[in-house]
Amino acid sequence: MADPPFRDELVALRAILATIPDFVVSVDRGGRILFINRVQEDRDMAAVVGKDARDFIHPDSHDAFEAALESIWSTGDAEAFELAVPNLEGVVEWYRNRMFPLRQEGRTVAAVLIATDVTELKAAERDRDLMRRLLPICAWCDKIRGEDGEWQSIEVYLKRESGADVTHGMCPDCAEGSSEELPANGSVA
């Protein structure tokens, strides 16, 4: 039988935690970060450990974090929730979280949070939802009425709702008739 790659359990645990793509974080009852296996590329480990986890969570997600944390100490049940986390550039990343009580000698001493990046999944869900709903479009100028009631160009609407940049081109049918006058609404494609 071959020797195991790690003779020391602590060395093995550190190697595993450094390898997995998820964030593994332990926090105390107040939400202070006690341990984190790695940090986002734009952060420094020393600037994270010892800080309040809420400092790294979007304010809209504080309630979900606090409710899960409180549940860990009051019920001991695992919790699942999503959090928005802005990076240093202010871009929001989404994480699906599972939080568990860390027990020592029969009592909860910390909470362990496993956070999986679901930013791309959330963007795909948002895009899917955008495409599934009916869009009110002006029959004359092709502007779209947003949920706020404001009319805006298709380009502005798509950029705001999905983050997509719009480029312009000419479809084959319009290219064939390009010597003719443009449509009344002035659109090319």
Side-chain angles (χ1 to χ4, degrees):
M1 179 176 205
D3 287 336
F6 303 105
R7 296 188 192 279
D8 182 329
E9 287 181 19
L10 186 55
V11 172
L13 180 59
R14 285 185 179 150
I16 291 167
L17 290 173
T19 302
I20 62 173
D22 294 341
F23 289 93
V24 178
V25 184
S26 66
V27 296
D28 66 13
R29 186 176 196 125
R32 186 172 49 97
I33 297 172
L34 304 171
F35 169 84
I36 187 165
N37 65 326
R38 60 189 186 84
V39 293
Q40 292 173 312
E41 290 179 17
D42 57 358
R43 301 210 189 269
D44 177 19
M45 186 73 76
V48 174
V49 175
K51 301 288 195 258
D52 190 317
R54 291 168 200 84
D55 293 345
F56 306 100
I57 298 170
H58 191 279
D60 291 347
S61 294
H62 284 188
D63 289 345
F65 175 77
E66 290 167 6
L69 195 58
E70 181 56 37
S71 178
I72 292 298
W73 264 270
S74 64
T75 69
D77 293 337
E79 294 290 324
F81 56 98
E82 287 187 352
L83 292 176
V85 178
N87 63 23
L88 289 178
E89 290 143 11
V91 176
V92 173
E93 298 171 352
W94 284 92
Y95 291 87
R96 186 160 293 140
N97 301 274
R98 291 148 302 170
M99 189 182 281
F100 308 91
L102 179 61
R103 299 184 193 283
Q104 191 172 42
E105 298 176 9
R107 65 184 189 91
T108 300
V109 295
V112 174
L113 179 111
I114 299 173
T116 303
D117 187 344
V118 293
T119 304
E120 289 182 17
L121 178 62
K122 293 286 275 186
E125 288 172 356
R126 190 175 49 249
D127 291 349
R128 182 197 67 221
D129 291 344
L130 174 66
M131 296 306 177
R132 282 191 175 172
R133 61 183 185 184
L134 294 175
L135 297 175
I137 298 178
C138 176
W140 298 105
C141 68
D142 290 334
K143 285 185 179 177
I144 297 176
R145 187 180 70 229
E147 290 181 5
D148 59 1
E150 181 181 330
W151 289 91
Q152 56 213 317
S153 70
I154 291 173
E155 296 86 355
V156 169
Y157 180 83
L158 289 174
K159 178 70 174 176
R160 189 178 85 185
E161 293 295 320
S162 71
D165 287 321
V166 177
T167 61
H168 291 86
M170 190 177 284
C171 74
D173 292 340
C174 291
E176 186 176 304
S178 65
S179 61
E180 298 173 15
E181 197 174 304
L182 288 175
N185 65 11
S187 64
V188 176

